[in-house]
Amino acid sequence: MAEETKLNDPLDKLEAQSIFILREAYHHFKSLGMLWSIGKDSTVMLYLARKAFLGHVPFPLIHIDTQFKIPEMIEYRDQMVRDWKLQMIVGKDQVSLDNKETFPDGKISRLDCCQRLKSSALKNTLAADTDRYIFDHSLDKYVIDKNASSFTGVIAGIRADEEGSRSKERYFSPRNEKNQWKVGSQPPEFWSQYKTEFAPDTHVRIHPILDWTELNVWEYIQREKIPMVSLYFDQGAGTRYRSLGCYPCTNPVESTSTTPAEIVQELKAGKFSQIAERSGRAQDKEDGGGLEALRRDGYM
Amino acid sequence: MNNEVLHLVIVGHVDHGKSTVIGRLLCDTNSLPLGKLDSLKKQCKLNSKAFEYAFLLDALKDEQSQGITIDTARVFFQSLKRKYLILDAPGHIEFLKNMVSGAAKAEAALLVIDALEGVQENTKRHAYILSLLGVKQIAVVINKMDLVDYKEDRFHSLVKEMTQFLKELGLQAQSFIPISAFHGENLVESSSKMPWYKAYSILEQLDQFEANQALETLDFRLPVQDVYKFTNYGDQDRLIVGQILSGQLSINDEVHFYPSGKKTRVKSIPDYPNQQKSFGKTGESIAFSMSEQIYIKRGEVAVKQGQTPPLVSSTILVNLFYMGKKPIGLGSSFDLKSMTQKVTATIIEIKSIFDSSNLSTKTNQEIVENSIVECIIDLSEPIAFDSHQSHPLSSRFVVVMDYEICGGGVIKEGVKSEKSDQIEKKLIRNLKWENSQITRLDRSKKYGQAPTLIIVTGPKDSGKKPLAKLLETKLFEMGKFVYFLGIGNVLYGVDADIKDGEDNRSEHIRRYFEVLNLLLNSGLIVITTAIDLTQKELNQLKTQLSDTKTIEVYMGQNEQVLDSALYKFCDRDFVKQSEEIIKQITC
């Protein structure tokens, strides 16, 4: 068969676009970081970064650890950090944790908990307002990041098909000095020309996999054999996680899928083809537009 | 089902029913997640509000309270043939920039018109923008036919009106479809309410549209996005990266870069996690290494030897759609981004200002938000582009002011000027240039200096030569490779065939700059003096010598001249002056 002269496979097209966006981000933002939630989407994004930069990841990864993450997530994170020699930064809301002002401690609502342990911790970590920790490969452990400075470009792995508010995002989405997202006054974005200019004290969120669907992500994981945290697969109990988060607020779904191929099948034709992905996430349901309110305030 | 995804935009005047059309399409093609419809119906009941299909899209609180789509939302649905990604564009005039964001990505468009209200301001404006953005596959949907009792004559009178209007814009609708989105008539299946209409339903029409332009058959174009050398990871090769807009690239192809005219061959196309590719396809984001090391920056456009080269100019005639809040006009400056190029642009002539709502041309010279302008723009540096007819992507540009993208357009042609002649000469010089095996970087490392030009100008006897010669001596004593050249050294030798005088000044200057270019290419620090160079000539110097560090020095009493000069000296304290300049070189 003659060699194809253009990209035809939707996955190839998505990949090419994501790489283009990642390279744009790397070119324009001196202080650039990538949010890595350990979930499948941002792990695919991390893999795409290695593709874009020929096996390197030339910027740090940022993880907001609520301390309520499922333990396997943290194990997997640190293993990948070692295997792929990643620059890894971890941030958290130490004050709320110390005062036990969290939902699992029973003191505040789910949304308030997300607001503190995720949104506010993220905001402070990005601005370098609170201590953050960096993985020291020579010591093989996390140490306080002494050279912490604020990020002007933050790459995030959100997808437009996840839920309503994310479908309105841009690839390059400005945040003002208060970390807020102004949905109504977003700049236009067209012809692969993005918002790469920004005023002092503002920063830009960059969304390289905005156009990917949950199915695309799993098909890509299957095709490229990208290592995933084991929580996504049934370990014998007949359940697995479809979306990862903090253990008090995230529930596994009933499924016996043990491989990406089986998950792809499940999403295409099986029982999940008609059920929203985040249906296992409790915070989306607390109030009709809860996630939208969180997003405007800086939530991923 | 086909593997492709067609990008579709739905445009039209506010309240003409775009969101309802989308909600219906999602529902009637079973493209909604299970339970979504029920939960929304329940929510409506809870708020004692009648359910509407448009609500499916209005996922945002803000939006529901105002009842208008404020941004381009993306939703997917599928027919039996393929998948669709809908970019739901808002109809409200204030959100026109969002409509542009959506429409620019679209391969096809549905233009929705309310059968009762008929053609409105934004119907026309959106149609105009579709034509400007190059969206050629359009179907016009006459919605709310139920409100006109499904009457055929009403449909035909609107068809007639729109056909004429679209024709003026150079557009032709593939079909006109009478529908009622609210009642689901002619959305997916043919409507029994309108037996007089025999043609496609919306979904049938959508399946007729073609995905993708045939970019793979056009000449190779790759806008250089960046140049990587990950030395701290042990990589040795310098890699050019970018996404292939059109055509293909293979190992060993001779590649020419525009606007500079530099050239090299493709040595390898590395890939991760696999080792190598032999071939880059249209649409692919690739990296390639070069067999001859040349200095290339982001913004250059890589093309293949033997194919039609792009146009290069620093003065261009454009159609600009302006979306900024602040009115602009003759003399206004902004950044212009085209492919990966970014230059400063100034409007030097306004041909016409077009009001997209009534297609009238204004004589008023103020360009306000949402107007379309044909104008001539002068650029700080030449850019490479193609004419809109020959390449749909490489003729596009956007305008950036105050950190925001506030306009976009297409380049119609390059405008002939004195400068375009110089640009062309330089381009040909570079294309014919025989590359050395020793790169600029190798030379810099060996000599411990970057090639640098110090150009000293000003009135006669203002101290240019004494300063220049002192600089030469001092740098020489520091161990630098340095050379002094007065313009006179060129005038009587290289220029022996042309007479001195104003008429020949530009040719004298061009040759002088070419000689400087040769000396700088050899890796030297060159100090040169010339009487009264103008700002225009200094700008030309930048066109002729690419990528060389240049320090401009003005000596004289008139501080108002030569804005680009780094130093302006009015006394004869050469020792102090030379020290300042040397600091600048060695930093």
Side-chain angles (χ1 to χ4, degrees), chain B residues 57-74:
Chain B
L57 280 173
D58 299 341
L60 292 178
K61 271 186 171 175
D62 277 354
E63 209 183 275
Q64 281 180 354
S65 60
Q66 292 176 18
I68 43 177
T69 312
I70 55 171
D71 194 5
T72 310
R74 274 165 272 220

Side-chain angles (χ1 to χ4, degrees), chain B residues 39-81:
Chain B
S39 85
L40 200 69
K41 281 184 174 164
K42 221 156 73 189
Q43 215 176 330
C44 282
K45 212 168 162 190
L46 217 70
N47 300 326
S48 25
K49 208 159 71 173
F51 168 78
E52 284 182 33
Y53 284 96
F55 294 161
L56 281 167
L57 280 173
D58 299 341
L60 292 178
K61 271 186 171 175
D62 277 354
E63 209 183 275
Q64 281 180 354
S65 60
Q66 292 176 18
I68 43 177
T69 312
I70 55 171
D71 194 5
T72 310
R74 274 165 272 220
V75 288
F76 294 87
F77 77 96
Q78 57 191 53
S79 70
L80 291 175
K81 184 180 175 186

